[in-house]
Amino acid sequence: DGGDKTPADIKVRSKFLDTAFWQPSVRTDSQGRATVTVQLPDNLTAWRATAIGVTDQTEVCQATMLVRARKDLMIRLQPPSFLVRGDEQTLTATVVNDTGQAADVNVELLAEGASFQGDKRSVIRVEPGKPATLEWSMRPSSASQATLTAKAWINGGASDGVRQTAPIRPHGRARTVMQAGVVQGAEEINLQILPASDRVT
C-alpha cells in the first residue's frame, strides 16, 4: 500500500464510565493521611474528585478537586443513541489538536453492523485549540448493534482511537400486548410472526 497504513500502536479507548472510582471506606494512618491509587476509565474529560473524612468523634470534613484526563490528540465520536434499520443517519467525529502546533491529522473510520458513504480514511488540517469535525452518512445492517471505531494520528506523532456501540432497532413502532389473570397448570401462548414487510417489532 505504499506505506499508507494505520499505525499498529494506536490505543483504542472503549471503557467509558459515569463514575471513575468509588471507595466507601479508606482508613488513614496516625497522621490522618491516606493514599488511594485510581485508574481512570477511557473518558477524556474533567473528573471531580470528592473526599469526605469522618473521625471517631464524628468530626467531618470534605474536599474536592478537578482532575483532567486528556491527550495531545483526541478524537470523539458522536453516534446517535440508536440506529434504525432502513434509515440513513449521520455520524460525526471531532478531532482536537492540543500539541501546540497545526498538524495534518489522519482519520480512519471502521464500522461493523453498518455501512457508510465516503472515504474510510482522510487527512485534515487541524489547528491547535480549534476542533475539526467530520461527518459520514451511515446505514445500519440487520445486526442487533453497530460497532464504530475511529482512529486519528499524526505521522510520527500523537494518536488516539475510540470505539463505541449503538443498538440497531427495527424500522417500526414497538407494540406491547399485556394480559392478566390466573393460570391453572400450563397455558399455551401463541405468538404471531409478521412478514418482513408488515413487521413492526
Side-chain angles (χ1 to χ4, degrees), residues 97-149:
N97 176 12
D98 276 352
T99 62
Q101 57 185 3
D104 292 325
V105 180
N106 302 276
V107 178
E108 183 180 64
L109 174 67
L110 302 173
E112 298 178 14
S115 60
F116 58 91
Q117 297 178 354
D119 297 331
K120 85 168 189 176
R121 180 181 297 180
S122 58
V123 180
I124 58 173
R125 186 73 173 178
V126 184
E127 300 291 332
K130 296 182 179 180
T133 301
L134 298 92
E135 291 185 349
W136 296 268
S137 294
M138 179 174 54
R139 284 184 177 273
S141 67
S142 59
S144 60
Q145 75 172 18
T147 301
L148 309 169
T149 304

Side-chain angles (χ1 to χ4, degrees), residues 24-178:
S25 178
V26 177
R27 182 171 294 276
T28 65
D29 60 17
S30 59
Q31 301 298 316
R33 297 186 177 92
T35 300
V36 177
T37 301
V38 178
Q39 182 174 352
L40 294 177
D42 289 337
N43 311 56
L44 297 181
T45 185
W47 296 99
R48 184 181 68 180
T50 302
I52 300 174
V54 183
T55 69
D56 291 338
Q57 292 75 36
T58 66
E59 298 169 313
V60 180
C61 64
Q62 177 176 318
T64 61
M65 69 173 295
L66 290 179
V67 178
R68 185 184 177 195
R70 58 171 297 278
K71 299 180 70 175
D72 289 340
L73 183 68
M74 295 173 281
I75 185 167
R76 293 184 173 92
L77 278 176
Q78 289 94 37
S81 57
F82 62 89
L83 304 173
V84 178
R85 291 175 193 155
D87 283 359
E88 183 174 296
Q89 296 170 269
T90 299
L91 174 65
T92 303
T94 302
V95 180
V96 179
N97 176 12
D98 276 352
T99 62
Q101 57 185 3
D104 292 325
V105 180
N106 302 276
V107 178
E108 183 180 64
L109 174 67
L110 302 173
E112 298 178 14
S115 60
F116 58 91
Q117 297 178 354
D119 297 331
K120 85 168 189 176
R121 180 181 297 180
S122 58
V123 180
I124 58 173
R125 186 73 173 178
V126 184
E127 300 291 332
K130 296 182 179 180
T133 301
L134 298 92
E135 291 185 349
W136 296 268
S137 294
M138 179 174 54
R139 284 184 177 273
S141 67
S142 59
S144 60
Q145 75 172 18
T147 301
L148 309 169
T149 304
K151 298 179 181 180
W153 70 95
I154 300 171
N155 291 333
S159 65
D160 187 29
V162 62
R163 179 176 294 119
Q164 293 178 242
T165 60
I168 299 176
R169 298 181 180 176
H171 186 273
R173 184 170 52 195
R175 180 185 176 198
T176 303
V177 178
M178 294 181 290

Side-chain angles (χ1 to χ4, degrees), residues 1 23 64 111 184 200:
D1 293 335
Q23 182 67 40
T64 61
Q184 300 290 343
V200 295

